[in-house]
Each structure stands twice: as C-alpha cells, then as structure tokens.
Amino acid sequence: MGLYSVTVYGFVNRDGYFSRHKIIEVDKKLKHLRRHSLKTIQSKDGDIIDCIDIKKQPAFDHPALKDHKIQMAPTPTYNSVKEDTTPTKSKPKTMKQRAEGSSMIVTSQVWQKSGTCPEGTIPVRRIRKRDLLKAHSIEEYGRKKPSFSHRKVDQLNQNLESFLQLQNHSKAILFTDGYRYLGGKGDLKVCNPFVERDDEYSTAQIALLNGAYNDFECIESGWAVNPSVYGDRQTRLFIYWTADASKKTGCFDLICPGFVQTSNEIALGAAIYPISIPGGLPYIINIYIYKDPITNNWWLQYGEKTNVGYWPPELFEAICYNAESVEWGGEVYSTRVAHSTPHTRTQMGNGHFATVYGDACSVSRMRIHDNSATLKIPEWVAKFSDEYYCYDVWYMGDYIEDPQLYYGGPGRNPMCP
C-alpha cells in the first residue's frame, strides 16, 4: 500500500483511517478556499499560490467582517512615523546603512521567482489536502494548542507572567510592558531549526498581547518551521492571531477568516530564502506591527515598505485599543517540553544557545511605539526563558550602538535530558 489509498469506507494513510465524511468535508473546504482564484502560480519549492480576488478573500467569511470595507493603505500621517534618532549610547544605524555594510541582508520568498499576482488580487498559499486530512479537525487546523500552566504565581505578578507560562510551549524571549503599546518592530535573523516530530513547531516572532493569562488576545508575525501546518520543514513567513488564547479563535496565516490582506506581493505561509547559517551571512526579515489610530486596524509591514494587510478591530475586545505587552524571541511547541522526560530535540533559533552570540539566532533593531510620537528603543525590558537549560536568551543592551537579543538552544542535551 502506498502513502494513501482509497477503501470502500474512506481514505487510509500510514497514520490511520480517514472517514469518508472527513474526506468530503476537506474537499468542500479546499474548494471553498479556491473558488475565487484568478491565477495559479506553481512555485519551485512545491507550493501552489492562488491569486485570489482581493474583495473575495478568506477574511470576509468571518461573520464580523460581512460588511467590512477594505482599507487599502494605512492612514498616511501615521504610516510615516519615524524612529527616534536622539542619541542614547550612539545613534543607531538605519536599515540602508546596515545593508550597505553587509551586516544584514533582507530575504525574499521562493514563489516570487515563478510569477506575480496581478493588481486586485492577493497571493494565497494553497493548503495541501494531506495536511488538512491529518488535522484533528478542520476547525482546529492551523490553530495553536491552548494548554495553560497551573503553576501558581503571585497576584502582583500574575499579569506580567500571564502570557508566558504555557504548558507544551517553551519560550525564550525579551518582553516589555507597562505602557499602552501601539506598535512593535524588529529585524529577525532567519534560521532553519531542526523540528523532530510532525506535530511540533519552532518559531521566531514579534508579538503584541493584551488580556488575562487564560483569555489573552494576541497578534504576531515572524518565521516558522511547522510541519503540521505546512507539510514540510522549510522556514516560512507567518502571522498568527487569537482573541481567546487559542481556545476557539485564531489561526496561522489565512487558514481561517480574520486577517485582511492588501498586498499582491507577499504570500503568508510561503517559504523564505536565503537562510542564515552559523558562520555565514545573517539574513533577516523586518517585521513591524502597528495600529492605525483612525481605523483601529493593526497593520503588518514587511521589509520596511510593504504593508501586507491588517487585523480589523472587529476580531477583538481589548487589543483593538492597545497592547499591554510586546515580545521578541523564539517559541517551541511540543508535548515533550515543560519538565517532560525525554525532552524534545526540536531546536529553537538555529540550535545554538544564546551565549554563542556570534552564531546564535537573534533579533536586532527592536522598537516600540507607545504614547510618544516616534518609534523608540524600549526603556524597560526583561528576558524570560521557560527552560533555561534547553533554550536560553541573552540581551546585549550596553556599550553597543543598538541593543541585540540572542536566543535559542538545541532542546534535549546533557543539561536538558
């Protein structure tokens, strides 16, 4: 028997049995997602990109967005917010200066080598049938697992730690809170961590959060290696959102309705290249998530100039006003973290600990937008690691032009058995 075969009852793969009902539901879902495709692009990496009519994109299947009018571009006065150039330790370099010095090289997407989507459409990575069939349910496909820690925390620290202590999730991050945040930004070094099992993933992201530990709202973007969603172990650009700590809402990319895309150049979930390797050039993606004060839409900007789209305020109850916390760093999902033995071998970053800072994965040019008129370096930050001997984090904030965050680790090792 091959990988898949049809029986009189349904669909069988090496992992078990798929009912005929599930096959029908999956086919119906996939047909629904592709119904407004005006052009198809076959990427060299195996992906299929559908160019979908922008006015008929998946976002508008969300009941709260039934009569939503697309905002094609951010409010101009806000989109032009500049970085604070007041010297602190020394004046930070601009992205242009960094590129000219070959210290950072911005990545691209693989599918762009094979074609472009016309104006009036958005590129949507086609979900593979086999990946959707393997999901526990169609509704849960592409959503994070909402497992929470039962560790007791001091009442005064409960809000501070609320976003951090999740079971089956291991983080190594830098975070800031204490203000009303209207934006977060950073340059993420692009790596390709080893992911041991198909139901595990490793990500690097910038995240903005608001709410209680068991019901928080979150929007985030970065890169991910996520076999259960993407069907392979390529490093891919992703977004994620949830309005209830991933219990019933939210998903990666455009898998569920919610995020409104406006760009015809960037495909969420598509593979990115080149990838940084230890000792080689540091390739990066630049991510900026910011709130439009006129429409309250949360915009995602990629690569300093491309506004990919936005999360409408109708999706949320709290973060539609502001975020309470901003995070930068890495996350690993596995059922074999958080004091599990044996620990997963899934890597964070590129598998190097943060203290190997010349080769470890990193985030640079970290900025926040609070109540001030400019983007600025956070005045207060703290680092956090769930499992310091498995994945660690190091913040270099003194005696350099611009603070740097290093994070990562190999997972299972002699200190993390």
Side-chain angles (χ1 to χ4, degrees):
M1 184 182 294
L3 177 61
Y4 297 104
S5 64
V6 179
T7 72
V8 293
Y9 300 106
F11 212 65
V12 175
N13 74 352
R14 293 194 185 112
D15 298 321
Y17 167 74
F18 299 132
S19 70
R20 185 177 297 276
H21 173 73
K22 186 169 186 178
I23 298 170
I24 293 172
E25 288 300 305
V26 165
D27 287 337
K28 182 179 178 181
K29 172 76 170 179
L30 295 177
K31 184 178 180 180
H32 178 77
L33 291 173
R34 299 168 191 165
R35 69 193 187 283
H36 299 303
S37 177
L38 303 179
K39 179 182 177 180
T40 298
I41 299 171
Q42 178 69 59
S43 177
K44 293 180 179 179
D45 64 349
D47 277 353
I48 297 176
I49 304 297
D50 290 310
C51 301
I52 304 292
D53 185 333
I54 191 172
K55 296 180 180 179
K56 298 177 181 179
Q57 62 179 288
F60 302 125
D61 289 333
H62 196 292
L65 304 179
K66 182 179 180 181
D67 299 315
H68 182 83
K69 184 178 179 180
I70 300 176
Q71 182 185 8
M72 292 304 298
T75 303
T77 54
Y78 189 72
N79 191 35
S80 59
V81 169
K82 303 297 183 183
E83 290 187 15
D84 184 359
T85 56
T86 303
T88 50
K89 306 172 186 67
S90 61
K91 184 178 178 179
K93 291 182 180 180
T94 65
M95 174 60 93
K96 182 179 179 182
Q97 289 170 328
R98 299 175 78 99
E100 289 174 347
S102 297
S103 60
M104 290 288 185
I105 302 177
V106 180
T107 64
S108 185
Q109 292 193 305
V110 177
W111 75 275
Q112 294 168 338
K113 296 180 178 180
S114 303
T116 59
C117 282
E119 293 290 334
T121 69
I122 62 166
V124 178
R125 178 187 174 274
R126 183 178 293 185
I127 298 172
R128 296 184 176 101
K129 182 175 181 177
R130 64 175 181 266
D131 298 329
L132 195 51
L133 281 167
K134 289 179 182 178
H136 182 263
S137 70
I138 294 176
E139 292 75 20
E140 294 180 6
Y141 173 69
R143 186 185 305 151
K144 293 184 179 182
K145 303 296 189 297
S147 299
F148 299 99
S149 169
H150 297 291
R151 285 175 283 180
K152 295 182 180 180
V153 295
D154 184 82
Q155 185 65 34
L156 293 175
N157 295 328
Q158 185 170 354
N159 189 53
L160 180 65
E161 299 186 15
S162 63
F163 310 126
L164 307 178
Q165 298 182 343
L166 300 176
Q167 285 185 339
N168 303 331
H169 295 256
S170 190
K171 288 186 175 183
I173 61 170
L174 186 78
F175 69 96
T176 184
D177 67 358
Y179 293 93
R180 296 176 63 253
Y181 297 99
L182 305 177
K185 187 176 184 178
D187 294 340
L188 303 175
K189 184 176 178 180
V190 179
C191 303
N192 183 242
F194 168 73
V195 174
E196 186 175 8
R197 294 185 178 181
D198 286 349
D199 62 348
E200 300 177 342
Y201 63 73
S202 183
T203 66
Q205 65 274 326
I206 297 171
L208 290 91
L209 309 99
N210 194 329
Y213 80 99
N214 62 341
D215 204 33
F216 65 86
E217 300 178 354
C218 175
I219 50 178
E220 62 185 65
S221 181
W223 58 258
V225 177
N226 191 335
S228 65
V229 171
Y230 302 120
D232 58 27
R233 284 167 169 76
Q234 295 189 83
T235 302
R236 297 172 176 273
L237 174 70
F238 84 92
I239 65 168
Y240 188 84
W241 71 274
T242 181
D244 63 355
S246 298
K247 292 192 288 290
K248 293 183 179 180
T249 67
C251 62
F252 285 93
D253 309 328
L254 304 180
I255 292 172
C256 65
F259 184 83
V260 178
Q261 183 159 340
T262 57
S263 172
N264 68 330
E265 300 175 353
I266 302 298
L268 299 171
I272 49 184
Y273 80 101
I275 303 296
S276 304
I277 59 174
L281 293 174
Y283 299 101
I284 66 110
I285 56 173
N286 174 264
I287 299 293
Y288 179 26
I289 301 173
Y290 62 97
K291 184 173 178 286
D292 187 316
I294 305 302
T295 62
N296 290 326
N297 293 324
W298 281 96
W299 279 88
L300 169 66
Q301 185 182 90
Y302 177 84
E304 296 285 358
K305 62 180 181 179
T306 303
N307 291 299
V308 180
Y310 58 88
W311 292 272
E314 291 89 342
L315 301 175
F316 309 105
E317 293 184 0
I319 206 171
C320 52
Y321 300 106
N322 61 267
E324 293 180 335
S325 178
V326 184
E327 294 181 2
W328 301 264
E331 177 182 350
V332 165
Y333 170 80
S334 172
T335 57
R336 297 176 301 142
V337 297
H339 310 295
S340 174
T341 302
H343 194 279
T344 180
R345 289 192 176 93
T346 291
Q347 298 174 344
M348 181 186 293
N350 59 10
H352 285 292
F353 281 115
T355 46
V356 190
Y357 65 85
D359 287 331
C361 225
S362 62
V363 185
S364 58
R365 219 160 54 97
M366 293 169 285
R367 300 289 186 271
I368 54 98
H369 184 244
D370 52 21
N371 291 327
S372 63
T374 58
L375 280 167
K376 63 182 184 181
I377 297 172
E379 297 175 4
W380 178 89
V381 294
K383 58 184 182 180
F384 175 88
S385 175
D386 282 295
E387 302 173 294
Y388 192 79
Y389 293 113
C390 309
Y391 314 106
D392 67 357
V393 58
W394 184 40
Y395 178 64
M396 183 186 294
D398 296 323
Y399 311 113
I400 59 172
E401 292 178 332
D402 213 342
Q404 297 271 344
L405 172 69
Y406 297 91
Y407 68 93
R412 191 188 309 176
N413 68 83
M415 296 185 297
C416 176

